[in-house]
Amino acid sequence: AALKDGLRSQVSAALKEGRVTPTELCQRCLALIKTTKFLNAYITVAEQIALKQAEESEERYKRGQPLGILDGIPIAVKDNFNTTGIETTCASNMLKGYISPYNATVVQKLLDQGAVLLGKTNLDEFAMGSGSTDGVFGPVRNPWSYSKQYKEKSVPKSHSEDEESNWVITGGSSGGSAAAVSSFTCFAALGSDTGGSTRNPAAHCGVVGLKPTYGLISRHGLIPLVNSMDVPGILTRCVDDAAVLLGSLAGHDPKDSTTIQDDFKPFELPNLTDVSKLSIGIPKEYHTPGLSSEILALWSKAADLFKNAGAKVVEVSLPHTRYSIVCYHVLCTAEVASNMARFDGLEYGHRSDMKDSTESMYAATRREGFNGVVRGRILSGNYFLLKQNYEKYFVKAQKVRRLIANDFVKVFRSGVDILLTPTTLSDAAPYTEFIQEDNRTRSAQDDILTQAANMAGLPAINVPTALSERGLPVGLQFIGRSFQEKQLLTVAKWFEKQVQFPVIQLEEVKRHDSDVFQHQKSASFS
Amino acid sequence: AARGCGGIWRQARQRGAGWPGPGPGPFPRRQRAVAYNARGGAVPAGKSGLAPWVPVVGLEIHAQISSNSKLFSGSQVQFAAPPNSLVSFFDASLPGTLPVLNRRCVEAAVMTGLALNCSINKKSLFDRKHYFYADLPAGYQITQQRVPIAVNGSLSYSLCIDKKMSQMVTKTVRIKQIQLEQDSGKSLHDDTRSQTLVDLNRAGVGLMEVVMEPDMCCGEEAAAAVRELQLILQTLGSSQAVMAEGQLRVDANVSVHLPGEPYGVRTEVKNINSIRFLAKAVDYEIQRQIEELENGGTILNETRAFDSKLGCTVPMRDKEGKQDYRFMPEPNLPPLILYDAKSLPANMNHQQVINIDWIHERLPDLPSVKREKLVEQYGILPEHSFTLLNEDGLAEFFESVVKQTQMKPKKVIGWILNDLLSYLKQHSLTVKESPVSSFLLADLLNLLEKKEISSTAAKQVLAELWKGEGKTPLEIVKEQKLELLQDQKELEQICQAVIDGQENE
């Protein structure tokens, strides 16, 4: 079995047949994590715990009683999900060293199904960012920066510039998880998605990133950014794997009152052969000024692909989407201000030595614990929530949010099944370029194509589509109807099959997986 | 103490804000020299006689919900448990935890709302109210600011309008709303070590905040209204409502104005630990405001604390001036939806829905109904029915005695109120702790009713019964030879013997 194989068809079978053991898989992943340490994808690697879990899994396989497809599968979890026994830091000084006494529901579900938790992945502090560059543990590096594909195509501008300054960002805020999946150090990873934090890095790292419908997966144990928009995200190498993960995570949680009561039935994705009954909507507002011509071309090519296969492709309008960013800014910062109020240094987390008064201790704790991005959002959020501003900003933003959501309802009611849009404006920017602009500007630009799905609570997925001229991944986004993940993923799988996105060619992976690593055809449809 | 407090205190004492001992209930003696009467009309201020001030009193009452677990978490609710022994991850606001609404608390609020004639909102919402305080771990309290669970109710209460407590009037205060919210923890300040110790046992316990409109005009009315509310809550079982244990907390909003003028600037009086102190605090505050205004001063919109030792209100140090609570909808809780028989969906799991009509049908008799029934059924005086209900278990005791005796209820009530109740008060006992059971008292009253003993002898027997030595009234009567002689011949013989004795001398 190769590290890059799909779960259901290959890895699970190999484990069952004993061609590979959970311990071997785990050790390979741990070794790869070490050789790719420079990516800074992981904040904490839980080597001993992972090996113990792998051992237990191995016992189950020996007894012929594995817990399911995920038994023995190495996974990684974004460091804003609570995990017992492993630090949960949110990449912040505020929670450095914090060990939660409980597991997030999604983590518990994975463990209950035998998955092996390798460690916690890097992110922007408290998931506030779109680059995975603003965490206290430093930026995450995109594995594609070190791929053969990128190295071949991106000739350094001048010889004085070494490889070091050429590396590109992962996108964010779940950049660690995306990098971990992309570099084969785990088979799947959990991210979180509030404005695009799973789909954006998935696009930049060439992996599948699924943001399920709000309310389908429990948020209990996910340290919140914006409660009314946060969803645990799923990062995998193929759409089938995303369906496996979704099946293992979805469903009502008594600990999260916003999860739906209806039973969720896990599903396997059919191989779609006929798309002629499908209606694909192309929202014209996603053709924004900042969209790179390369991605625009790819997008219309994808639309043609559906059209040529017999699907109905229609232009649709989501007129209020253009207000999404400013609306998101108000709602996000307001909830951030509220959610961050608990970090006062009393019950847990960082506490300043300042002892003049309770108030000065609070102030110093929060100044030392939070970075400038978090503090800035707290400040503006509290401003929007002031009595004299509440109606003008918060209430208005809520109304606009409703309009944005209604746009989608109308489009879907008109008969459109799935929307097809770009995920990002361009391929991943080099770090040195990315940090020229501040976090706020960056987030506003980068979330532009993904945010509206969070506003409306809709399921959306990034499917890696092709490599850019620079040899970097580019993805497209499919947005589906509420709770229609099966339809969304089925279409995504069909598309995935058509585009044949190339496998990343990494020296590090080659060394570890040389026996089966074969030169796959890089035949992309672009 | 604040400036001028001593002087005003002397006046307040002269006004005799006393508590009428073991009398029937919480109604303080009528106070002189205050500018109101029991009908709420303005009367000339006694002291100066210059201006007829109208006092206005509104109340905000926090009643702790009687439930096994907290409003949004599974932690137990218990008074005086070891510090921080009843704290769930949610109560300590650990990151990533979410609130899960406790059904029992919602039912308690619905019951209370119905008992207070409120309309129950079929859809209510939760909000976050933000402020930094050591015993508020999340930095916000979850409450119902925009759409509370119950609105527009009323509470009728009665109070005596003369000193002898024989004439009662019934008044009504409007209930603005009842909202569900979380209690905070407790901060204990250790000034010598300049430390603050935090106990989170109480953090997250369910509260009902009952907001009363400013329809009252004196301490006596406020006290009577709260006492009635307390009885209702205890009858419903929605709160134990023991003020001493903090299960019922009352803040009073007080202002005074001249007739025909808009309401005056109000102050909020906090830190009131008993109904008795409530009456005192309100009356003190009214008097203070009148004096302040008559002396050319102004009233500040401030929070004042009642000092029960000094009997006056003093300004509280404001928590960093004006607070902006930055209210925001609680995003982790969907709207609270309640159903009635009409709107109840057919295929809904009954564990997941709350049916207002179902709760309505099962409401117990409220104190006012119980009193009416007592008056009607037993022919006792209305004020006696108040006394019966004011003591926990006393009405039941009375009814039990009535059932077991041939004595008329009108006579029984005298024994209950004059003998039993005063004995219990003297010895600080509850009805349940009474050494004389309803059975024994009935036994005794039967002896009296059958004229086997005199009423003086009955008192003697009762005095013996208090000792709780397990003797029956009849045994005591026999032991102490207290029987009335009813045999004609025997009586004649005794009389003859007495006469003979006289003649012999």
Side-chain angles (χ1 to χ4, degrees):
Chain A
L3 288 174
K4 55 192 183 301
D5 288 340
L7 291 176
R8 190 185 292 278
S9 51
Q10 287 140 308
V11 186
S12 176
L15 282 166
K16 264 190 206 152
E17 289 158 20
R19 280 184 278 131
V20 67
T21 69
T23 308
E24 281 167 13
L25 268 188
C26 182
Q27 280 166 340
R28 261 195 254 179
C29 286
L30 288 169
L32 199 48
I33 289 173
K34 272 179 199 150
T35 49
T36 59
K37 202 171 185 302
F38 59 90
L39 295 176
N40 203 16
Y42 290 79
I43 291 175
T44 307
V45 181
E47 189 167 346
Q48 295 313 312
I49 296 175
L51 285 169
K52 194 165 167 285
Q53 287 168 349
E55 219 171 275
E56 288 164 7
S57 169
E58 199 154 329
E59 284 303 311
R60 289 190 291 269
Y61 276 103
K62 273 184 192 158
R63 290 199 305 270
Q65 292 170 326
L67 296 169
I69 298 174
L70 288 181
D71 204 341
I73 302 295
I75 50 134
V77 170
K78 189 177 180 179
D79 207 18
N80 58 353
F81 287 94
N82 283 284
T83 48
T84 53
I86 307 171
E87 267 185 48
T88 301
T89 70
C90 284
S92 174
N93 276 326
M94 190 56 92
L95 284 178
K96 237 185 210 173
Y98 174 70
I99 296 184
S100 168
Y102 74 99
N103 276 326
T105 297
V106 283
V107 170
Q108 193 59 50
K109 281 191 171 191
L110 290 175
L111 295 177
D112 288 346
Q113 290 169 78
V116 174
L117 176 54
L118 296 169
K120 307 291 289 290
T121 58
N122 205 345
L123 65 156
D124 290 299
E125 183 161 333
F126 282 101
M128 296 182 207
S130 60
S132 301
T133 51
D134 281 329
V136 75
F137 299 102
V140 186
R141 298 181 178 210
N142 192 325
W144 285 85
S145 315
Y146 306 94
S147 71
K148 196 174 160 212
Q149 290 101 322
Y150 178 65
K151 283 182 190 163
E152 277 172 1
K153 297 205 174 170
S154 70
V155 185
K157 283 167 207 147
S158 78
H159 289 288
S160 64
E161 277 184 295
D162 57 356
E163 198 183 56
E164 182 55 30
S165 64
N166 263 338
W167 64 269
V168 298
I169 59 147
T170 54
S173 65
S174 311
S177 286
V181 173
S182 165
S183 59
F184 301 103
T185 60
C186 63
F187 282 83
L190 293 183
S192 60
D193 194 314
T194 310
S197 278
T198 290
R199 289 159 287 158
N200 175 286
H204 286 323
C205 293
V207 298
V208 169
L210 170 65
K211 170 224 171 288
T213 309
Y214 184 84
L216 185 61
I217 299 189
S218 170
R219 292 180 294 113
H220 172 253
L222 165 63
I223 297 179
L225 176 58
V226 185
N227 305 273
S228 63
M229 297 184 209
D230 290 340
V231 188
I234 294 167
L235 295 123
T236 54
R237 283 189 221 118
C238 62
V239 177
D240 269 326
D241 287 359
V244 171
L245 265 285
L246 182 71
S248 68
L249 298 175
H252 178 65
D253 179 7
K255 290 174 182 159
D256 177 358
S257 307
T258 62
T259 51
I260 51 148
Q261 299 278 342
D262 310 6
D263 286 335
F264 176 84
K265 286 196 191 75
F267 49 76
E268 264 186 64
L269 295 176
N271 281 310
L272 204 59
T273 48
D274 180 17
V275 294
S276 66
K277 289 192 186 80
L278 268 184
S279 173
I280 304 289
I282 309 291
K284 62 178 180 189
E285 287 79 9
Y286 281 67
H287 188 169
T288 64
L291 191 66
S292 74
S293 56
E294 209 177 4
I295 290 189
L296 178 62
L298 200 64
W299 183 20
S300 47
K301 221 167 193 175
D304 289 344
L305 187 68
F306 277 99
K307 203 185 280 174
N308 296 337
K312 196 175 152 197
V313 178
V314 288
E315 188 186 80
V316 296
S317 174
L318 299 165
H320 296 96
T321 289
R322 65 196 182 98
Y323 303 112
S324 165
I325 282 163
V326 63
C327 172
Y328 177 85
H329 181 70
V330 174
L331 296 178
C332 170
T333 55
E335 285 200 35
V336 163
S338 175
N339 288 330
M340 295 296 147
R342 70 190 57 216
F343 297 101
D344 56 14
L346 287 186
E347 278 82 15
Y348 43 78
H350 174 71
R351 185 191 291 183
S352 170
D353 293 329
M354 170 70 77
K355 279 176 186 155
D356 291 358
S357 70
T358 309
E359 284 73 23
S360 61
M361 191 274 282
Y362 285 161
T365 295
R366 291 164 69 79
R367 190 173 51 248
E368 293 161 13
F370 293 138
N371 70 6
V373 176
V374 178
R375 290 208 304 275
R377 290 202 194 182
I378 291 172
L379 187 67
S380 34
N382 277 322
Y383 175 79
F384 297 136
L385 288 177
L386 285 176
K387 206 171 176 186
Q388 80 247 29
N389 295 335
Y390 184 75
E391 285 287 326
K392 203 165 134 198
Y393 296 102
F394 190 83
V395 172
K396 195 173 271 180
Q398 278 190 312
K399 287 177 182 165
V400 173
R401 180 180 182 177
R402 176 60 61 88
L403 292 174
I404 292 168
N406 283 348
D407 282 352
F408 284 101
V409 173
K410 278 180 207 152
V411 164
F412 285 127
R413 210 176 272 157
S414 76
V416 167
D417 298 303
I418 303 278
L419 296 170
L420 172 62
T421 79
T423 311
T424 56
L425 294 173
S426 65
D427 58 4
Y431 176 71
T432 47
E433 189 183 307
F434 185 82
I435 56 167
Q436 295 304 307
E437 302 229 49
D438 66 22
N439 179 294
R440 197 160 74 88
T441 313
R442 275 295 180 188
S443 298
Q445 287 168 356
D446 295 339
D447 288 348
I448 191 165
L449 302 169
T450 45
Q451 223 166 49
N454 298 81
M455 293 274 185
L458 299 171
I461 188 170
N462 171 72
V463 181
T465 306
L467 293 187
S468 67
E469 283 160 14
R470 293 192 297 152
L472 291 173
V474 173
L476 291 177
Q477 171 179 241
F478 293 89
I479 305 173
R481 293 189 169 108
S482 270
F483 300 106
Q484 299 301 312
E485 269 78 359
K486 188 171 179 184
Q487 185 186 39
L488 175 71
L489 291 177
T490 302
V491 172
K493 183 180 171 180
W494 179 86
F495 181 73
E496 177 187 49
K497 200 177 166 198
Q498 309 304 309
V499 298
Q500 289 290 317
F501 182 74
V503 172
I504 185 171
Q505 292 177 35
L506 275 180
E507 272 308 310
E508 289 76 12
V509 178
K510 218 174 191 172
R511 260 185 270 131
H512 283 273
D513 210 20
S514 51
D515 48 342
V516 275
F517 191 90
Q518 41 181 307
H519 217 77
Q520 292 199 7
K521 273 184 285 172
S522 301
S524 70
F525 78 117
S526 58
Chain B
R3 67 219 130 75
C5 197
I8 298 170
W9 161 231
R10 273 194 298 280
Q11 281 179 358
R13 231 191 359 209
Q14 283 159 10
R15 283 196 274 116
W19 198 239
F27 313 122
R29 277 204 297 276
R30 285 288 294 149
Q31 294 156 359
R32 275 152 269 122
V34 277
Y36 48 82
N37 64 20
R39 283 176 304 280
V43 295
K47 205 170 136 222
S48 66
L50 290 174
W53 293 100
V54 185
V56 174
V57 181
L59 300 175
E60 282 172 28
I61 299 158
H62 287 89
Q64 214 173 63
I65 297 170
S66 168
S67 63
N68 294 327
S69 55
K70 295 184 180 178
L71 182 55
F72 296 119
S73 79
S75 317
Q76 243 190 293
V77 176
Q78 198 188 312
F79 182 68
N84 295 312
S85 62
L86 308 171
V87 185
S88 71
F89 300 154
F90 175 78
D91 303 331
S93 80
L94 295 200
T97 53
L98 299 169
V100 178
L101 183 58
N102 180 344
R103 182 196 172 94
R104 156 70 193 163
C105 293
V106 177
E107 286 170 343
V110 171
M111 281 169 81
T112 306
L114 291 171
L116 296 179
N117 309 303
C118 292
S119 37
I120 306 295
N121 278 324
K122 297 223 181 86
K123 178 183 174 185
S124 59
L125 304 170
F126 290 97
D127 304 282
R128 292 180 179 180
K129 176 182 179 177
H130 298 88
Y131 58 94
F132 282 109
Y133 207 68
D135 53 27
L136 187 76
Y140 56 81
Q141 174 200 36
I142 303 179
T143 177
Q144 294 194 299
Q145 192 239 357
R146 290 166 300 162
V147 188
I149 190 163
V151 292
N152 300 333
S154 64
L155 169 71
S156 291
Y157 61 96
S158 300
L159 67 165
C160 298
I161 54 166
D162 65 348
K163 265 198 251 175
K164 288 180 205 154
M165 322 194 101
S166 60
Q167 220 190 327
M168 307 200 75
V169 289
T170 300
K171 301 198 154 208
T172 301
V173 54
R174 288 168 298 151
I175 307 288
K176 183 168 181 256
Q177 65 185 57
I178 300 175
Q179 64 200 49
L180 279 167
E181 60 184 35
Q182 296 173 297
D183 210 339
S184 63
K186 282 180 185 168
S187 296
L188 308 159
H189 302 286
D190 181 345
D191 285 336
T192 45
R193 267 177 283 182
S194 78
Q195 277 184 336
T196 298
L197 302 168
V198 179
D199 177 8
L200 295 181
N201 281 352
R202 203 181 66 176
V205 171
L207 293 178
M208 295 177 281
E209 180 176 340
V210 180
V211 182
M212 291 184 182
E213 298 280 11
D215 296 343
M216 291 153 287
C217 68
C218 64
E220 201 178 332
E221 288 189 6
V226 169
R227 177 61 185 141
E228 188 66 11
L229 176 68
Q230 190 179 35
L231 280 175
I232 290 172
L233 296 173
Q234 287 166 346
T235 305
L236 297 172
S238 59
S239 170
Q240 287 168 293
V242 179
M243 281 185 88
E245 292 185 8
Q247 289 150 347
L248 197 69
R249 280 166 255 159
V250 183
D251 300 336
N253 291 311
V254 178
S255 69
V256 301
H257 65 274
L258 294 170
E261 286 187 5
Y263 283 5
V265 176
R266 67 177 195 196
T267 59
E268 187 180 11
V269 184
K270 287 178 177 282
N271 202 25
I272 303 169
N273 302 323
S274 73
I275 291 180
R276 188 159 62 100
F277 289 150
L278 170 62
K280 271 186 152 186
V282 168
D283 286 339
Y284 174 87
E285 183 59 17
I286 290 169
Q287 191 66 24
R288 184 192 72 82
Q289 290 189 11
I290 291 172
E291 276 166 24
E292 186 74 43
L293 292 168
E294 288 194 343
N295 293 332
T298 51
I299 304 302
L300 299 173
N301 179 211
E302 63 181 354
T303 304
R304 299 177 69 87
F306 180 66
D307 186 321
S308 57
K309 281 185 196 131
L310 298 174
C312 65
T313 65
V314 292
M316 274 173 96
R317 261 179 303 154
D318 246 8
K319 294 173 195 168
E320 38 188 275
K322 278 255 170 191
Q323 291 259 352
D324 189 321
Y325 292 118
R326 291 157 287 129
F327 284 101
M328 187 191 89
E330 167 55 66
N332 294 319
L333 289 166
L336 170 56
I337 306 289
L338 305 173
Y339 297 90
D340 57 16
K342 263 189 211 162
S343 65
L344 194 68
N347 52 350
M348 201 81 152
N349 181 354
H350 284 274
Q351 289 298 308
Q352 282 168 10
V353 298
I354 289 176
N355 183 345
I356 301 167
D357 291 333
W358 195 90
I359 293 175
H360 206 168
E361 285 158 20
R362 282 158 186 78
L363 281 187
D365 275 349
L366 294 178
S368 57
V369 176
K370 273 197 206 163
R371 287 189 204 106
E372 271 172 38
K373 283 189 180 172
L374 287 170
V375 170
E376 215 170 280
Q377 197 174 342
Y378 303 111
I380 60 173
L381 294 171
E383 54 267 33
H384 288 163
S385 70
F386 274 89
T387 316
L388 283 181
L389 284 194
N390 267 338
E391 293 304 319
D392 189 27
L394 192 61
E396 290 75 12
F397 193 100
F398 165 72
E399 290 193 277
S400 168
V401 174
V402 167
K403 260 185 216 147
Q404 301 174 70
T405 166
Q406 291 85 43
M407 188 182 269
K408 285 222 168 94
K410 271 184 172 177
K411 278 172 79 182
V412 174
I413 193 77
W415 286 87
I416 297 282
L417 300 187
N418 300 330
D419 297 280
L420 176 78
L421 191 58
S422 50
Y423 178 86
L424 294 178
K425 292 253 158 152
Q426 261 170 40
H427 295 85
S428 303
L429 293 172
T430 64
V431 176
K432 275 184 194 123
E433 290 164 344
S434 167
V436 177
S437 67
S438 62
F439 174 77
L440 284 179
L441 184 61
D443 233 18
L444 174 65
L445 298 184
N446 279 336
L447 292 177
L448 182 63
E449 191 67 10
K450 283 188 265 170
K451 301 220 168 68
E452 287 177 21
I453 53 173
S454 69
S455 109
T456 322
K459 304 248 165 178
Q460 264 177 274
V461 176
L462 190 57
E464 200 61 31
L465 282 174
W466 290 132
K467 293 177 186 163
E469 288 168 348
K471 294 177 194 159
T472 67
L474 197 60
E475 282 167 358
I476 297 168
V477 167
K478 286 202 168 140
E479 254 178 44
Q480 305 197 4
K481 298 201 167 51
L482 295 168
E483 305 98 324
L484 284 179
L485 295 177
Q486 289 175 330
D487 187 312
Q488 184 91 21
K489 273 187 185 164
E490 202 180 328
L491 272 170
E492 279 173 12
Q493 278 171 10
I494 291 170
C495 291
Q496 195 58 54
V498 173
I499 294 165
D500 292 349
Q502 290 278 355
E503 284 172 353
N504 289 345
E505 275 174 21

